[in-house]
Amino acid sequence: MKTILNTDNAPKAIGPYSQGINTGNLMFLSGQLPIVPSEGKIVAQDIEGQTRQSLENVKSILESAGCTMDNVVKTTVFLENIADFGKMNEVYKGFFSEGNYPARSAFQVAALPQDALVEIEVVAVKD
């Protein structure tokens, strides 16, 4: 069985996709841009602020399914500039419990929607 995850506390999908899907004990969240839900646009102009907002959006979707960031088992981080990796990483690590970091891949892409600096997608396991 598949359940669509949807919350007003994260940005609405800007295309034909869902914020996330829950199937069994697995949750697949679509890539989250650093869009502020109440504004409907990207507000932060630096990688730290955009990383924080992307992860807040992820956190909100997980919370709508009764989960936390500690349920995340895999992340994929898309960066507009790989030189931002260190700054992104400093913000990123604060969203997970020490020693409970998910598996991750991160890489530079040619461009992201809405000229974002970062987009983050996750897979989580519901206990």
Side-chain angles (χ1 to χ4, degrees):
M1 179 175 195
K2 165 175 116 171
T3 305
I4 305 289
L5 301 177
N6 187 40
T7 178
D8 291 335
N9 295 324
K12 300 286 184 224
I14 56 175
Y17 61 90
S18 301
Q19 289 175 335
I21 299 290
N22 183 50
T23 180
N25 68 334
L26 289 175
M27 289 179 289
F28 300 90
L29 275 59
S30 295
Q32 292 301 302
L33 293 169
I35 296 170
V36 177
S38 62
E39 302 282 330
K41 63 182 181 179
I42 297 171
V43 175
Q45 297 302 307
D46 61 350
I47 189 63
E48 295 93 343
Q50 288 197 18
T51 300
R52 188 171 296 105
Q53 186 61 55
S54 290
L55 289 167
E56 287 293 344
N57 295 341
V58 165
K59 184 177 171 185
S60 292
I61 297 168
L62 289 171
E63 288 173 349
S64 77
C67 295
T68 70
M69 295 297 280
D70 285 337
N71 291 93
V72 175
V73 295
K74 171 70 168 81
T75 66
T76 305
V77 179
F78 304 95
L79 293 165
E80 188 268 335
N81 185 344
I82 199 68
D84 287 335
F85 180 84
K87 291 177 182 178
M88 175 278 299
N89 210 40
E90 282 302 308
V91 174
Y92 176 97
K93 72 180 180 183
F95 278 81
F96 300 97
S97 297
E98 181 74 32
N100 192 26
Y101 301 118
R104 179 180 75 187
S105 53
F107 48 92
Q108 180 173 312
V109 296
L112 290 166
Q114 298 191 14
D115 294 322
L117 301 177
V118 65
E119 181 174 1
I120 302 172
E121 68 178 28
V122 308
V123 175
V125 175
K126 195 169 186 175
D127 297 330

